[in-house]
Amino acid sequence: MDFLSRKARSIAPYTAGEQLRDRTYVKLNTNENPYPPSPRVKQALLDMDADGLRRYPRPDAGLLRAAIAEKEGVSPENVFCGNGSDEVLALSFPAFFDADGAGACFADLTYSFYEVFAAFFGIPAKVVPLREDFTFDLAAMRAQDCQGYYIANPNAPTGIGIGRAEMEQFVRSVPEKIVILDEAYMDFFGESFVPLVKEYPNVLVVRTFSKSYALAGIRCGYAVGNASLIAGLFRMKDCFNSYPVDAVAEAVCAAAVGDRDYYAAATEKVIAERGRLTVALREMGFTVPESRANFLFAGRGRLGGKAIYEKLRSEGVLVRFWDRPLLRDFVRITVGSHEENDILLEKLNKILS
């Protein structure tokens, strides 16, 4: 007998990048940081009192919220922390959208979890195609009848970014709708909207510790916005999980937030390697949009994304491929360390020759 609900039987879940263990790979498929976390992270782990783990953590992640607030120039009441930015995004759907409302608007080629969350929570989805050059069509999004927007900036999987001035124009034009800016990769761009959240009560900025902070294994993310929006996230959180940020994650992430110089230097190394890879791939004949993230969206015409992906995997290099219209000609390549990128380029030269 099938005990699954109709939703469980019918919904299409999000598919994460491969985590293969059958051999040692150069892993460039999940946009992880090639450099280690700050030394302060290790020290925070060493300093932890293991006996304290018998107690529940603070349900509001107060220590971490205070550290983020200080770094972002806001008050703790403007910060919400969750179990990864995915959880923060998930909670935002029931917090700000109604199942019988006008729906949530997002692009057709963007972070695919938006579509999954909309289906999971029964929120109508208004999907707007990107332009032919893979940039957002903000005018078309503005024209949609919806309750609000999800905009990944820089976008995934294209890596294309929207400058703060252009984003502010869009936000100013839709004051009656919520704008949720998913800035998972923003530290590699430097055009965050966080400095403007105090001016725009309809904006929620979502960030993660998985990318620039090199803490994908910790699972922690946060949102910055007007206190009323943050309170809405807390209402949803407390209907789902009182303690989404564990004591280890809170201590580690608070330590990471405090080491700005270390992460600025690591981010600059990623940006430099991104530029080197972009030039090299274009010289090989790949089409590569200008990326503002820690990955590149690369296609090479008739060879196709699937062939590139499969041949690289056989050579021990993992990249991301989606067998979907408009995406299947491309692969997404995480910017690795200098040594990892050298191996990628060596294998690509071998494949293309």
Side-chain angles (χ1 to χ4, degrees), residues 44-60:
L45 289 170
L46 293 174
D47 291 343
M48 285 208 69
D49 177 13
D51 289 344
L53 296 180
R54 64 192 177 90
R55 303 290 190 190
Y56 284 106
R58 284 180 55 165
D60 66 349

Side-chain angles (χ1 to χ4, degrees), residues 235-315:
R235 289 179 67 86
M236 294 300 104
K237 184 269 288 185
D238 289 332
C239 294
F240 176 69
N241 182 2
S242 297
Y243 310 100
V245 180
D246 63 68
V248 176
E250 183 172 17
V252 163
C253 292
V257 167
D259 200 351
R260 303 184 195 184
D261 291 342
Y262 175 86
Y263 284 109
T267 297
E268 284 302 316
K269 288 195 287 186
V270 172
I271 291 172
E273 282 298 299
R274 181 181 72 195
R276 182 172 79 96
L277 270 185
T278 299
V279 171
L281 290 171
R282 287 174 177 170
E283 288 177 348
M284 291 181 183
F286 283 90
T287 296
V288 185
E290 197 65 37
S291 174
R292 301 298 185 185
N294 70 334
F295 58 84
L296 300 174
F297 189 57
R300 199 175 187 277
R302 288 180 296 176
L303 189 56
K306 186 175 183 180
I308 293 290
Y309 154 73
E310 290 180 342
K311 291 177 183 296
L312 280 175
R313 187 172 65 171
S314 70
E315 293 287 340

